[in-house]
Amino acid sequence: MYRVLIFIIVISSFLNGLKAMGLYSAIPQETATLTKPMQSSITRNNVNSNIKKLNTDKYTINEEQSFQTTLEGFGEVRFVSTKTKKDEIPKNYFFLLDDRERVIYSFPDLYGNEWWYADEGVEAVAFKDLNKDGLKDAIIIAYYETGSGPDGAKPFPIAGIYFQKKNKTFTTLPALDQALNDQGHNQTIKDVIQYVSKQRINVN
């Protein structure tokens, strides 16, 4: 029995010596189990601490063109169409809000924001996977006017597309937006889908 005790003491001393020299550590799976939840919690808190509510004093929400939807990487969200002034020119802007009305994503400028938006504002919004990559894209049709010249106040439609990328952000393809508008495929959502479905599109 004394020999067994002496053997255990020797082994313990040997392992402690290895730890001191950095030659022995805990099982990797055990380390991962201890550290991963802490890292996830820290990341989540850092993200949430930067989220703020939409400034409704600056942005006016178009309730008729704002919708609940589910998007990859965001889950169930509220897509909101808004209008505001930038450099004294009225513009359309779009956001994703969480269930506490906080902005979790701001979309890039819509193609057409170089002109004044018309009183008709945003005419249509649709969500569809246009380039068959498994991610929903957003189609917008809004009315604008140049604001100058004899026909400056005559509203005209402009279609713009937000393609979702693999990193879950959204991007625009200005050349595609220009082409579908120049060729008049901007009257309805169906027009946009028919035109874009014939194009080869890769945003990643």
Side-chain angles (χ1 to χ4, degrees):
M1 182 174 178
Y2 289 112
R3 289 181 180 178
V4 173
L5 289 175
I6 292 171
F7 177 75
I8 292 173
I9 293 170
V10 169
I11 290 297
S12 298
S13 300
F14 178 71
L15 290 177
N16 287 333
L18 289 179
K19 285 182 181 180
M21 292 185 290
L23 299 176
Y24 173 77
S25 61
I27 300 172
Q29 290 86 342
E30 293 178 351
T31 304
T33 302
L34 291 172
T35 59
K36 281 185 178 178
M38 291 180 61
Q39 290 170 344
S40 299
S41 177
I42 292 170
T43 302
R44 198 162 49 243
N45 290 337
N46 286 343
V47 172
N48 288 344
S49 64
N50 294 324
I51 297 178
K52 296 181 179 179
K53 285 191 174 183
L54 181 68
N55 183 354
T56 51
D57 291 331
K58 179 179 179 181
Y59 297 97
T60 302
I61 296 177
N62 180 348
E63 296 290 352
E64 292 183 358
Q65 297 299 336
S66 299
F67 308 95
Q68 293 292 129
T69 187
T70 302
L71 295 172
E72 186 73 25
F74 294 98
E76 186 175 345
V77 292
R78 185 181 181 215
F79 175 94
V80 294
S81 304
T82 74
K83 59 184 180 180
T84 189
K85 284 188 176 182
K86 186 176 181 180
D87 298 327
E88 299 304 314
I89 299 177
K91 305 285 187 185
N92 292 302
Y93 290 97
F94 306 91
F95 303 92
L96 295 180
L97 306 184
D98 66 9
D99 57 359
R100 293 168 61 183
E101 297 296 304
R102 299 177 302 178
V103 177
I104 57 176
Y105 188 78
S106 303
F107 285 82
D109 259 11
L110 181 70
Y111 181 79
N113 260 0
E114 61 187 281
W115 299 293
W116 293 62
Y117 71 71
D119 289 338
E120 288 85 347
V122 178
E123 175 71 14
V125 175
F127 303 94
K128 185 176 179 61
D129 180 6
L130 294 172
N131 56 338
K132 309 301 181 185
D133 61 355
L135 302 171
K136 282 185 188 176
D137 309 304
I139 307 168
I140 313 290
I141 297 178
Y143 274 82
Y144 289 87
E145 57 191 42
T146 60
S148 60
D151 297 322
K154 184 178 179 179
F156 52 88
I158 290 292
I161 303 171
Y162 293 117
F163 290 97
Q164 190 173 26
K165 303 174 69 176
K166 289 181 179 178
N167 65 5
K168 308 308 182 285
T169 62
F170 288 83
T171 188
T172 61
L173 298 176
L176 176 66
D177 286 338
Q178 182 176 349
L180 72 89
N181 284 286
D182 288 350
Q183 296 178 34
H185 302 287
N186 56 7
Q187 302 297 312
T188 66
I189 295 295
K190 184 178 179 180
D191 289 337
V192 175
I193 293 173
Q194 287 181 340
Y195 178 80
V196 175
S197 64
K198 299 175 183 176
Q199 314 304 313
R200 300 179 67 179
I201 300 166
N202 182 14
V203 296
N204 293 292

